[in-house]
Amino acid sequence: QVQLVESGGGLVQAGGSLRLSCAASGRTFSSYAMGWFRQAPGKEREFVAGNTWSWGSSYYASSVKGRFTISRDNAGNTVYLQINSMKPEDTAVYYCAAANRQVVYTTRDRWDYWGQGTQVTVSS
């Protein structure tokens, strides 16, 4: 059974940093796209970052480009999201996602598996 488990969320002051981790298990994910979404209360889930390991391609939402970095340890089936220069508007539940394809999409319905989310709160 495929499982995605996020960790690393918490409370941080504006300007600080967090590194989120997503541990994937139950399958070999070499051919999978993996990514991160976030959802603030009352708002729709939005794409943050994603990558395809086979093509070495990474994609970012314009709102986070330059501050967020996605990386992946394919051997360990782990994907990371480094968040720097955090802002209050980064406050959200962050979800890890995986898809059985080698293309990154920005819409929620294109992803096959989801973690339960980890809360990130940025205080001003």
Side-chain angles (χ1 to χ4, degrees), residues 14-100:
S17 299
L18 282 177
R19 192 187 192 194
L20 308 183
S21 298
C22 173
S25 63
R27 196 161 298 176
T28 299
F29 291 89
S30 300
S31 63
Y32 279 58
M34 300 191 72
W36 292 91
F37 286 70
R38 67 184 182 185
Q39 187 167 19
K43 298 184 178 180
E44 66 183 52
R45 195 169 302 181
E46 66 173 348
F47 172 80
V48 174
N51 72 2
T52 55
W53 192 242
S54 59
W55 291 353
S57 301
S58 297
Y59 304 88
Y60 298 92
S62 60
S63 60
V64 305
K65 194 173 298 182
R67 298 189 299 114
F68 287 31
T69 303
I70 187 171
S71 60
R72 187 169 170 179
D73 181 356
N74 200 57
N77 296 322
T78 303
V79 63
Y80 306 94
L81 185 69
Q82 179 70 39
I83 312 175
N84 296 326
S85 302
M86 300 190 73
K87 304 175 180 180
E89 50 263 45
D90 294 325
T91 296
V93 176
Y94 284 71
Y95 296 91
C96 178
N100 188 13

